Amino acid sequence: GAGVSQSPSNKVTEKGKDVELRCDPISGHTALYWYRQSLGQGLEFLIYFQGNSAPDKSGLPSDRFSAERTGGSVSTLTIQRTQQEDSAVYLCASSTPRSGTDTQYFGPGTRLTVL
Amino acid sequence: GNSVTQMEGPVTLSEEAFLTINCTYTATGYPSLFWYVQYPGEGLQLLLKATKADDKGSNKGFEATYRKETTSFHLEKGSVQVSDSAVYFCALRTGGGNKLTFGTGTQLKVEL
């Protein structure tokens, strides 16, 4: 079956521009996560959506970062006024949380380069 | 807070050598522990997991045992292959939360 898909696979932008990254989770998965993988910081949690609950935004590094999940499926991560330190691979994952058995399935990522 | 510490790479081995990648953790509560693998040009894939103390996760010849007394989850394989060349990430998730906390990753290079 289809896995988690992300688009675009690569994005090059100029400093100060806004970017939108898209994630399509596995059908039926109620939980969706965004992570960032960068050279200096490793893999960092950004934000988590679960069903209709308020998202856990505790990992967002600044108010330039925001994310939405429409209709409980597709999610968009938006970075406003991009900075060079935002350059990273942005990973999306989805899961069907059950106590003790939650496995997150990752997409291929979007490589963002801010010039 | 939660944290995961992995041995730094790259680790370079000859084919058929024994592999150990160390992972230790600090966590509140009783975490579930995971190893993820990222092959060149591919996304993160779950390799194995263990959800409670003394559990052993295994997959593709890799094993890791959840050691509560040493707060460790070391990854081992008896005989590595060139196709095992990848970056390996140790991660944890605590029972009340959902996000994964990752180690920095260990690159493994296996040569003929």
Side-chain angles (χ1 to χ4, degrees):
Chain A
V4 177
S5 61
Q6 293 185 244
S7 61
S9 56
N10 281 286
K11 176 70 177 179
V12 180
T13 190
E14 293 179 347
K15 178 181 173 181
K17 301 282 190 181
D18 298 351
V19 295
E20 286 189 350
L21 312 180
R22 177 187 169 103
C23 172
D24 281 274
I26 293 172
S27 178
H29 280 193
T30 57
L32 187 147
Y33 311 77
W34 284 97
Y35 295 85
R36 179 169 70 173
Q37 185 176 20
S38 56
L39 281 176
Q41 301 296 326
L43 263 161
E44 308 169 273
F45 165 78
L46 296 177
I47 188 169
Y48 158 68
F49 296 90
Q50 169 54 40
N52 295 320
S53 302
D56 175 357
K57 304 179 181 180
S58 60
L60 294 179
S62 77
D63 58 8
R64 295 185 296 103
F65 287 73
S66 63
E68 292 184 338
R69 189 179 186 193
T70 54
S73 181
V74 172
S75 177
T76 302
L77 177 69
T78 301
I79 309 173
Q80 296 179 307
R81 306 181 302 281
T82 52
Q83 304 295 312
Q84 289 183 333
E85 60 263 29
D86 300 334
S87 296
V89 177
Y90 289 82
L91 296 171
C92 177
S94 71
S95 71
T96 50
R98 296 188 185 88
S99 176
T101 62
D102 181 13
T103 296
Q104 296 180 25
Y105 296 88
F106 284 79
T110 294
R111 181 175 297 278
L112 175 66
T113 303
V114 182
L115 301 176
Chain B
N2 297 338
S3 67
V4 176
T5 302
Q6 287 181 239
M7 60 189 292
E8 289 194 20
V11 174
T12 303
L13 295 173
S14 298
E15 202 169 40
E16 299 184 359
F18 185 87
L19 169 70
T20 300
I21 300 178
N22 290 337
C23 171
T24 57
Y25 67 88
T26 302
T28 54
Y30 299 97
S32 295
L33 301 173
F34 306 82
W35 277 101
Y36 278 82
V37 58
Q38 188 172 32
Y39 297 102
E42 298 185 15
L44 275 172
Q45 303 173 25
L46 178 65
L47 180 60
L48 53 84
K49 66 181 181 182
T51 57
K52 62 183 187 295
D54 299 325
D55 271 2
K56 178 185 285 187
S58 61
N59 186 25
K60 299 182 180 180
F62 290 88
E63 294 183 340
T65 301
Y66 188 142
R67 301 288 188 197
K68 183 180 175 184
E69 63 276 12
T70 54
T71 61
S72 65
F73 193 55
H74 304 324
L75 182 69
E76 296 181 336
K77 186 174 184 181
S79 177
V80 293
Q81 305 299 312
V82 172
S83 57
D84 294 326
S85 297
V87 181
Y88 293 81
F89 293 89
C90 186
L92 69 82
R93 181 177 61 86
T94 52
N98 298 284
K99 65 183 182 182
L100 289 167
T101 299
F102 286 91
T104 52
T106 302
Q107 184 177 13
L108 170 66
K109 298 180 182 178
V110 181
E111 301 173 335
L112 291 171

